[in-house]
Amino acid sequence: MASQLFIFDLDGTLVDSVDDLATAVNLTRAEYGLGPISIQTVAGYVGDGVRVLMERALQDKPDVDLDQAVRFQKSHYLAHLCEKTRPYAGVPEGLVRLRAAGHILAVATNKPADMTETLLQALGLRPLFEAVYGGGSVPELKPDPAMLVGIMSRLGFGKTDSWMVGDNRTDLEAARRAGIRSVLMAYGIGDPGPEKPHLTFETFDDFVECMMRGP
C-alpha cells in the first residue's frame, strides 16, 4: 500500500476527553449560578467548537454573554485539561505502527489549536503528527473542509491518498466536501448524522489492522 495521509479528529477519536470537558462546562455554568449537567449531555454538545459548545450548555440562560462564557470555559478547561483525558485503547501503539509503515499522520480538530497542542504534548502523542490544525489554524471549523485541504496541501497529498478519521458528522461532512475518504470510529462520542462513511470501525485496533493490510 502506498503511503497514505490519515487526518484524525481528536476528541472522541484519539482521546476520551469528555470528563474534563464536562468539568470545565459545569464550572462555567456555576459562574452563572447554574447547576451541573451530565457528562452524557456534554458529550452530545461536543464537536462544533467551543463557542457552540457553550451556547448549547448555557441554553437555559439565554441572556448570557457568550464571549465571556467562552473565556470562562477556556480558563477552567486549561486548569483541568489532562486530569482524566486519556488516549482510547490502542491509539498510541496504533499510531506508531502506522508511522512505521510509512504513513503520514495529522490532526484536524475544532478544539482550539493551543489547547490541542498542549493536550497532545501532555499525552506524549505530539511527535507522531506531521501537522496539527485546531480552531484558529484556519478561519473555518469543520464541517468546512478548509482544515483538511490545508493539511493536504502542506504535506503534499492528493485526494486519492488522504483519509479523514473521526467520530462525528462534522468529520464525515468535511471529508466529503474535501473529496477524500472518511472513516467513522463508532466508539466515539459523536453522531454521524446523515453522513455515510466509507469505512466504520468499532475499535482503533481494527482500524489499524485494516489499514496495515490495505483497504
Side-chain angles (χ1 to χ4, degrees):
M1 183 180 180
S3 178
Q4 304 284 294
L5 170 62
F6 295 109
I7 305 172
F8 294 93
D9 176 49
L10 185 60
D11 301 293
T13 300
L14 296 178
V15 301
D16 182 356
S17 56
V18 69
D19 282 359
D20 291 336
L21 281 166
T23 295
V25 164
N26 283 323
L27 287 172
T28 302
R29 284 177 57 83
E31 299 273 6
Y32 298 101
L34 301 173
I37 55 179
S38 71
I39 291 174
Q40 293 75 18
T41 299
V42 173
Y45 293 161
V46 172
D48 294 290
V50 62
R51 191 174 182 87
V52 175
L53 167 63
M54 293 317 302
E55 187 175 24
R56 292 166 174 164
L58 294 170
Q59 56 190 293
D60 49 347
K61 189 173 179 61
D63 59 339
V64 70
D65 180 337
L66 199 55
D67 290 330
Q68 179 190 59
V70 168
R71 290 194 295 271
F72 282 147
Q73 192 274 347
K74 287 186 175 180
S75 177
H76 289 309
Y77 191 36
L78 280 171
H80 299 274
L81 190 62
C82 298
E83 287 186 354
K84 295 183 178 180
T85 296
R86 296 291 182 272
Y88 285 106
V91 165
E93 303 86 351
L95 295 174
V96 169
R97 285 186 68 194
L98 290 170
R99 274 179 58 95
H103 302 304
I104 303 300
L105 313 181
V107 169
T109 173
N110 285 346
K111 184 190 289 293
D114 56 345
M115 292 185 182
T116 298
E117 290 281 359
T118 299
L119 183 57
L120 290 173
Q121 291 283 3
L123 296 176
L125 299 177
R126 182 60 181 88
L128 298 173
F129 299 104
E130 297 299 321
V132 173
Y133 281 37
S137 297
V138 297
E140 302 84 6
L141 297 176
K142 297 176 296 182
D144 191 285
M147 278 192 205
L148 280 58
V149 173
I151 290 172
M152 291 160 60
S153 175
R154 176 175 165 183
L155 299 180
F157 278 82
K159 295 178 180 180
T160 58
D161 297 317
S162 301
W163 299 75
M164 178 69 214
V165 184
D167 70 309
N168 201 15
R169 55 177 176 73
T170 53
D171 306 310
L172 305 180
E173 181 179 338
R176 174 173 56 78
R177 292 169 64 183
I180 67 175
R181 289 171 289 182
S182 61
V183 173
L184 175 68
M185 295 307 202
Y187 56 77
I189 60 176
D191 181 349
E195 297 293 329
K196 303 297 182 185
H198 290 80
L199 296 171
T200 300
F201 296 97
E202 297 293 333
T203 70
F204 199 83
D205 287 339
D206 288 344
F207 159 73
V208 173
E209 289 298 331
C210 177
M211 295 305 161
M212 294 293 286
R213 292 193 306 267

